Amino acid sequence: MYLIGNTMKNLVRNRGRYLLTGAVLTALLAAVAVSTMLHGTASRLIDTYTDRFGASVSFTTDLRKLITLTKPDENGQFQDPEITSEQYLAFSQSDAVKNTLFQGTRQVYCDTLQTLDQGNEEAFYEAGGWGGVFQGASETDAPQRQAPNAVVLGYSDPDMMEDFIAGHRQLDEGHFFSALGEVMVSRDLADRSGLQLGDCFTLQDVNHAEVPPLTLTVCGIYLDGTAAQADGQDWAVTNRRNELLTSFETLSQHSMAGLWLTASYYLKSPDLAPDFETYVREHGLSPVYNVSVDAEGYNRIVKPVQSLKSLSKAFLLVILLAGGLVLILLSMLGVRERKYEIGVLRAMGMPKVQVALGLLTESFAVLVLCLSIGLPLGNLAAQPAADAILAGQDAGNEKQIQSNYGDGVVLSTENNGEAETPMQHVDVLWTQGSIGLLAAVSLGLGLITNAAGIWYITRWEPMRILAERS
Amino acid sequence: MAALLELDHVSYTYPMASAPVLRDISMQFEAGKVYAVIGASGAGKTTLLSLLSGLEVCTQGTISYNGTDLRSINRDHYRARSIGVIFQSYNLLLNATAVENVLLAMHLAGEHRTDKQAAYQVLESVGIDRPTADRKILKLSGGEQQRTGIARALAHNPDILLADEPTGNLDEANEAAILDLLTHLAREDGRCVILATHSHRAASCADEVLGLNRGRLLTVRQRE
């Protein structure tokens, strides 16, 4: 109690000096608070981003290898080597892969559905379009092939359905598919075909007769605001209202035969790209393809935050060095001015430890007071500082992305929609890390500055201090 | 009577100095007596008091308090509890009040009676009234500061009082009062009072006058 009471008295007695030190310390702690908050927030975001989007992998065609290693078709066109569905599935088994997003597609015919634009394709061929031969089928196959009246799409993650995330599609009735065999249909298709929740229909793959019929149950009906025919065709198979949305599991468990597959791979870390490449080569990926981490996308997303982190770190170091130096000087000057007082205390028999403890208690009280002012100040300043830094980074990034454009054909970049959105704003918040860092910095600053002053004063014997004073 | 303080062939040389300032001093100081150490300026009077108060350590010989070598005891503890020092330049805490200076001495001595009333009583015993006791040291006159210094030295009831020119800055009336007080503390309260002084008047009050000359301490006069 005496120590605390005496500390308070000493603070009042030496208020001029402590006001100066306190002002510097408050500014310093506010700056430290800003930089630790930015640093902590950026670290957290980087962890989150790398965890979610960190290492998207692409297979891009190397044109030079394509020309060197393959032969053109009869039209003189070089075709990309096929990556089979089995290969796509095998690649996902690599230890380097954190998760894989699959999308399976089949062109189907269902005789119980009356789909939009149904019959247009048949009419086109009957009118002699493309020589009366279905695209992609041989002349001999053509007579057996039924024109598709719908497309069934299977997603391994519902978040892959970007139109729902973007708001172009919206569930109107029922629920998203979850169980095997569940399917969602558009309101237009449901109305046209008289479908209701719980109704079943059976699909037949029009391109692969060996695939057994697939029966699906309507679990949801969605409103569709997308363009029905985006590429100028008016066939049922190209009409987006006829898309039947189900899980990838439903399609793959039914049959992998003839399933048109795309896959997006996300590595546990960008550093694992070489391991992944070795794995996919072993599993038959053509040397025509380059395996590359989506550095552009990664940079677009993570780089602004990394810059924020780097800047905050540099800022913190500068602040600590400059501020620490100022504080040490102030502390030594302060203690020097109190030499006489300390000499008197020592001459009266106050042990060095008690003198040091008294000085430390005073400094600690000042530190607490400065923290209580500096932290809210830092809290206020952190958000505008982060926004300003990110705004600068965003402009720089745009330039860099433009200069990087056109590096190759990306075969597999089915990212979540949000992964393509660059970071323009972060909510700067206190994190456990930043609080810990700030506490450590505060204590460190307090200790370092006081240690210098205390060391300076306690190495003198009391008579020497008093003699110097005289 | 047994010696409270005993010097046995004590010498002291300042760091970096070639010659000792005190040479081979042997002396005993007893309770109930006033000792006056006289000598020219620079003779080593203040140095001798610094050694006796444990602020400095002799470079040769031993100083014992109640038979124990000062080197073997905690000198902070010794200064805080066993002796009271009255400095020539007072050496009070300037930003504190007179009563706070006294309270601090009580606290350092481990006194439980660190209430203000006790501190006021000590100050009153040296002629400082309450309003004066509540004033900052810088607002006190030289005589009041000297009295406060004495009160602080007495606050923890020490066996030995060391006073360096205790009346050097005082007028005649104050000098007489302070000397009366010190002799009273020795003869009535049984303390050992050691004065370093230039003042003949102070020396005349002493039971034993010691002269410092060229670092050596000699007995000049002893009261019968």
Side-chain angles (χ1 to χ4, degrees):
Chain A
M1 278 307 290
Y2 177 81
L3 194 65
I4 293 168
N6 201 47
T7 296
M8 292 302 127
K9 283 178 185 169
N10 275 337
L11 287 177
V12 175
R13 284 172 195 152
N14 300 290
R15 57 185 172 277
R17 186 161 45 246
Y18 277 124
L19 273 175
L20 177 64
T21 308
V24 173
L25 193 58
T26 301
L28 186 62
L29 287 172
V32 169
V34 170
S35 51
T36 51
M37 283 175 77
L38 293 183
H39 193 266
T41 304
S43 298
R44 181 171 50 82
L45 283 173
I46 287 170
D47 288 346
T48 308
Y49 271 57
T50 49
D51 189 44
R52 288 174 63 191
F53 316 112
S56 167
V57 178
S58 302
F59 301 146
T60 56
T61 306
D62 187 323
L63 189 58
R64 192 176 297 279
K65 288 180 186 172
L66 182 68
I67 294 169
T68 310
L69 299 174
T70 65
K71 290 181 178 175
D73 59 16
E74 59 271 18
N75 298 321
Q77 187 178 355
F78 287 92
Q79 298 288 343
D80 290 335
E82 185 189 8
I83 302 174
T84 65
S85 298
E86 288 73 19
Q87 283 178 313
Y88 274 125
L89 286 173
F91 298 163
S92 70
Q93 301 304 309
S94 164
D95 289 340
V97 172
K98 188 183 70 182
N99 71 317
T100 311
L101 300 180
F102 288 112
Q103 181 184 328
T105 308
R106 283 189 193 284
Q107 293 182 341
V108 294
Y109 179 77
C110 177
D111 56 6
T112 58
L113 293 182
Q114 187 59 41
T115 63
L116 290 94
D117 293 330
Q118 185 163 334
N120 289 355
E121 190 174 359
E122 290 90 331
F124 174 77
Y125 288 114
E126 282 167 13
W130 290 340
V133 178
F134 287 125
Q135 187 186 16
S138 68
E139 288 186 34
T140 51
D141 289 342
Q144 285 82 42
R145 187 180 183 275
Q146 170 67 53
N149 65 349
V151 172
V152 61
L153 300 166
Y155 297 96
S156 61
D157 185 343
D159 285 344
M160 294 169 71
M161 298 188 291
E162 295 174 18
D163 289 321
F164 281 92
I165 293 167
H168 302 141
R169 286 177 171 173
Q170 195 175 344
L171 193 66
D172 189 34
E173 202 178 339
H175 60 83
F176 276 75
F177 54 81
S178 56
L180 279 176
E182 288 186 335
V183 68
M184 294 159 62
V185 298
S186 71
R187 169 60 64 195
D188 302 284
L189 178 61
D191 290 347
R192 192 174 176 87
S193 301
L195 287 173
Q196 291 183 338
L197 293 179
D199 287 352
C200 296
F201 53 84
T202 301
L203 307 173
Q204 179 62 53
D205 188 317
V206 296
N207 298 316
H208 301 88
E210 73 277 17
V211 178
L214 171 64
T215 301
L216 299 174
T217 305
V218 178
C219 67
I221 298 171
Y222 59 88
L223 297 174
D224 196 345
T226 60
Q229 293 285 10
D231 57 0
Q233 299 265 27
D234 61 351
W235 297 353
V237 75
T238 56
N239 192 313
R240 296 205 64 195
R241 304 286 191 277
N242 296 332
E243 287 180 355
L244 310 170
L245 309 180
T246 186
S247 67
F248 177 73
E249 209 178 357
T250 295
L251 296 188
S252 61
Q253 287 203 5
H254 172 249
S255 173
M256 285 300 294
L259 186 65
W260 186 53
L261 194 66
T262 60
S264 298
Y265 302 99
Y266 294 91
L267 302 188
K268 291 168 184 167
S269 156
D271 303 335
L272 293 171
D275 295 348
F276 180 69
E277 180 169 3
T278 305
Y279 185 88
V280 295
R281 298 289 182 215
E282 286 171 2
H283 287 77
L285 181 72
S286 166
V288 166
Y289 292 111
N290 289 331
V291 178
S292 56
V293 174
D294 183 12
E296 185 182 287
Y298 178 84
N299 286 342
R300 187 176 167 82
I301 297 300
V302 179
K303 202 168 181 181
V305 192
Q306 274 184 329
S307 301
L308 185 68
K309 186 179 178 182
S310 304
L311 278 173
S312 64
K313 195 173 178 180
F315 183 56
L316 182 64
L317 283 176
V318 170
I319 285 290
L320 286 182
L321 282 175
L325 204 64
V326 170
L327 277 181
I328 287 172
L329 285 173
L330 279 175
S331 167
M332 289 181 76
L333 283 174
V335 170
R336 193 182 167 83
E337 279 187 30
R338 294 180 69 181
K339 229 175 173 181
Y340 167 75
E341 176 190 339
I342 291 164
V344 169
L345 293 173
R346 294 281 295 120
M348 287 170 70
M350 185 177 278
K352 283 181 181 179
V353 172
Q354 202 173 337
V355 172
L357 204 61
L359 291 172
L360 275 175
T361 311
E362 287 173 34
S363 297
F364 183 73
V366 172
L367 191 66
V368 169
L369 196 66
C370 293
L371 266 176
S372 63
I373 300 169
L375 287 192
L377 280 180
N379 205 10
L380 284 175
Q383 190 66 59
D387 290 343
I389 292 170
L390 281 175
Q393 286 302 314
D394 193 46
N397 248 10
E398 285 299 326
K399 285 181 189 169
Q400 190 177 347
I401 286 162
Q402 282 169 15
S403 68
N404 289 343
Y405 184 72
D407 280 349
V409 178
V410 178
L411 289 184
S412 173
T413 54
E414 298 289 325
N415 294 342
N416 296 344
E418 52 196 313
E420 295 296 336
T421 308
M423 173 67 60
Q424 287 173 327
H425 174 84
V426 288
D427 287 323
V428 181
L429 298 169
W430 285 110
T431 61
Q432 282 187 340
S434 55
I435 290 171
L437 185 59
L438 183 65
V441 165
S442 305
L443 281 176
L445 277 176
L447 279 177
I448 288 169
T449 52
N450 280 292
I454 289 164
W455 168 81
Y456 179 74
I457 200 66
T458 51
R459 70 199 174 101
W460 299 90
E461 284 302 316
M463 267 317 281
R464 205 167 158 197
I465 298 172
L466 294 174
E468 276 201 4
R469 178 73 183 189
S470 302
Chain B
M1 189 176 283
L4 267 179
L5 273 175
E6 183 172 1
L7 285 75
D8 184 17
H9 299 290
V10 167
S11 295
Y12 182 79
T13 307
Y14 279 106
M16 313 298 286
S18 55
V21 64
L22 300 175
R23 298 167 189 265
D24 197 29
I25 296 174
S26 294
M27 181 73 200
Q28 291 187 341
F29 297 97
E30 295 171 0
K33 284 188 174 178
V34 178
Y35 296 86
V37 180
I38 58 171
S41 294
K45 299 188 294 295
T46 300
T47 304
L48 178 63
L49 290 193
S50 298
L51 292 178
L52 293 175
S53 63
L55 288 168
E56 300 280 359
V57 180
C58 55
T59 47
Q60 280 184 6
T62 56
I63 300 173
S64 304
Y65 168 68
N66 276 334
T68 309
D69 188 346
L70 284 188
R71 286 194 186 91
S72 65
I73 62 175
N74 182 328
R75 284 182 291 134
D76 288 334
H77 200 273
Y78 167 71
R79 279 202 297 274
R81 300 190 176 194
S82 305
I83 61 164
V85 184
I86 302 161
F87 293 95
Q88 183 178 5
S89 51
Y90 319 137
N91 286 343
L92 297 163
L93 294 175
L94 303 179
N95 284 326
T97 62
V99 74
E100 283 170 345
N101 272 272
V102 175
L103 275 168
L104 178 63
M106 289 178 165
H107 168 75
L108 288 174
E111 298 257 339
H112 295 296
R113 57 181 188 100
T114 53
D115 58 293
K116 267 194 168 179
Q117 294 309 315
Y120 282 127
Q121 280 176 11
V122 177
L123 283 161
E124 278 170 9
S125 73
V126 296
I128 299 285
D129 57 20
R130 286 198 178 203
T132 311
D134 287 329
R135 281 156 61 188
K136 291 271 175 70
I137 295 300
L138 288 172
K139 306 268 174 133
L140 301 181
S141 68
E144 288 168 333
Q145 288 188 30
Q146 186 67 293
R147 286 166 190 273
T148 303
I150 294 170
R152 185 183 64 181
L154 293 172
H156 53 285
N157 204 25
D159 297 332
I160 304 161
L161 269 175
L162 304 172
D164 189 5
E165 297 285 5
T167 58
N169 301 316
L170 303 180
D171 57 31
E172 282 193 13
N174 274 316
E175 182 183 20
I178 294 295
L179 290 174
D180 280 350
L181 176 66
L182 293 175
T183 51
H184 176 84
L185 289 168
R187 289 167 194 154
E188 304 301 323
D189 294 352
R191 301 172 208 270
C192 172
V193 177
I194 304 171
L195 315 173
T197 183
H198 282 111
S199 163
H200 291 295
R201 188 169 191 171
S204 67
C205 299
D207 296 297
E208 201 164 326
V209 179
L210 308 167
L212 255 180
N213 186 20
R214 295 185 180 177
R216 298 192 185 276
L217 187 67
L218 305 166
T219 302
V220 176
R221 176 178 60 79
Q222 276 186 313
R223 188 182 288 272
E224 291 297 317

